[in-house]
Amino acid sequence: VKNARQLLEGELGAVVVTGKHKIVGGGWTHFVAKKLGRSLPVVLAMVTPDVPILTSEFLVECRKTNHLVLDMRPFEWTTAEAASVSQQTIISAVKKWKGSEEAPRVAPFEGWMVYLFSAKKSDKTSFLRAILQQGGATILEEASERMTHYVLISESYSQRSVARQIMGFEVDMIRSSKAAFLRSDYIVDYVLSGGRVDHGRYLIEIDNDDNLEEAKNVEAAQKEASSKRRRRALRRRTRSSKGGGGR
C-alpha cells in the first residue's frame, strides 16, 4: 500500500512505530507484514500477546473505508492462505503462539531461565532479549546454577571462538546446572517452527578439555591484564600526589 504511513498517521490518527528501540520497547497494538519471514521484528510480534499479525490487505481495507478497521480477523495471517511450505510453517507457529478460540495461547519460553550473552552490544541482543521475555522466559543477569539455557550471541561458533568468549567459571556453571548451551539462532528457529526444531543442531560443545583449558587461560589473562591496569593507575596517582605535595 503506497503512502501507508501517511494514511495511518495523517488520515486515521494512528501512530506508526519504527526504529529498533521503539519496536523492542513494546506498546504497539498491531503488526502489519507483507510477508512473514525470519526478521527479528516478525519473531517478536509472534510471541507478543494480544498483538494481531495482519496482512497488508488490512491497510487496503482501511484506505477503502477511510477508518481503522475494527474487525481484524479477516486480515490476520492466521487466516491467510500460504503460498509456500515455509509460510505455512510460520502461520502454524503464529496460531500456536497466539492461540485461538479452539486452543489457548502457548508461551514458547515458559519456565525458561536464560542467561543471554554477547561480547558486544547489538540490535540482535536487544531483540532476542525482548523475544525471550515476551515469550515467557526469565532473563538472568549473570550465569548461575538457576539457568536452564545459556544462549551465546556470536558471529562465529567455532570451538576456538567460543572458548575465547566464555569464562572458565561459566563452563563449570553450565556443567553443574546442566543448562543447554545454545547458539542464538535456536531462539528464532524455535519460534518460527512452532517449537518443532532439532535441539541438538544448536548445541555448543564444551566437553573438549583443550577448549576448557583455553577458556580458563583467557580468563586468567584477562584478570592479569586488569590487575596490571589497576597497578599502573595506582602508580600514576601516587606520582601525581607526590608531585602536588612538593609545590
Side-chain angles (χ1 to χ4, degrees):
V1 179
K2 291 183 177 180
N3 303 320
R5 182 163 192 157
Q6 179 181 342
L7 167 70
L8 290 167
E9 293 190 326
E11 300 176 34
L12 304 182
V15 176
V16 178
V17 177
T18 58
K20 180 262 297 184
H21 295 293
K22 290 184 179 179
I23 294 173
V24 169
W28 25 290
T29 57
H30 303 66
F31 187 89
V32 182
K34 187 175 182 180
K35 64 178 181 178
L36 300 181
R38 289 184 56 83
S39 76
L40 292 173
V42 168
V43 177
L44 178 56
M46 288 175 66
V47 300
T48 301
D50 304 320
V51 172
I53 301 180
L54 307 170
T55 68
S56 56
E57 291 301 312
F58 171 74
L59 298 178
V60 173
E61 189 65 19
C62 287
R63 170 159 285 170
K64 282 182 184 177
T65 59
N66 202 34
H67 65 76
L68 281 172
V69 177
L70 298 180
D71 183 5
M72 296 172 286
R73 287 172 297 178
F75 309 103
E76 291 187 16
W77 266 101
T78 51
T79 63
E81 293 186 7
S84 66
V85 174
S86 62
Q87 288 281 283
Q88 291 172 8
T89 300
I90 296 175
I91 289 173
S92 295
V94 172
K95 291 178 180 178
K96 181 176 181 177
W97 307 136
K98 291 294 185 184
S100 64
E101 293 180 359
E102 295 77 25
R105 173 183 182 261
V106 176
F109 309 118
E110 189 71 40
W112 289 27
M113 308 286 283
V114 182
Y115 178 58
L116 184 66
F117 177 76
S118 175
K120 58 182 180 180
K121 291 183 179 180
S122 66
D123 290 354
K124 185 175 182 179
T125 304
S126 300
F127 267 108
L128 288 177
R129 187 181 183 92
I131 289 166
L132 286 163
Q133 289 177 319
Q134 289 290 351
T138 298
I139 303 295
L140 302 177
E141 297 306 322
E142 59 183 20
S144 77
E145 292 186 355
R146 296 172 58 214
M147 65 185 176
T148 58
H149 299 75
Y150 184 127
V151 178
L152 177 64
I153 302 171
S154 178
E155 295 178 359
S156 170
Y157 292 100
S158 68
Q159 292 184 346
R160 181 173 293 275
S161 176
V162 170
R164 290 185 176 280
Q165 292 181 73
I166 64 173
M167 299 297 183
F169 82 90
E170 291 179 327
V171 174
D172 294 336
M173 197 73 71
I174 292 168
R175 285 177 169 172
S176 63
S177 68
K178 298 182 179 178
F181 188 24
L182 297 161
R183 304 195 322 250
S184 61
D185 50 336
Y186 175 75
I187 302 302
V188 172
D189 289 348
Y190 186 86
V191 173
L192 292 176
S193 68
R196 298 181 182 90
V197 68
D198 181 4
H199 177 269
R201 286 178 49 214
Y202 303 86
L203 285 174
I204 302 172
E205 297 294 335
I206 58 169
D207 292 332
N208 186 307
D209 288 337
D210 291 338
N211 290 340
L212 177 57
E213 188 62 32
E214 182 167 356
K216 289 184 175 180
N217 289 339
V218 169
E219 180 180 8
Q222 289 175 337
K223 287 182 178 178
E224 178 62 23
S226 177
S227 177
K228 287 181 178 178
R229 286 195 295 271
R230 287 196 297 270
R231 289 197 297 268
R232 285 197 297 266
L234 180 59
R235 286 196 296 269
R236 284 196 296 269
R237 287 197 297 270
T238 301
R239 287 196 297 268
S240 177
S241 175
K242 289 180 178 179
R247 288 177 186 147

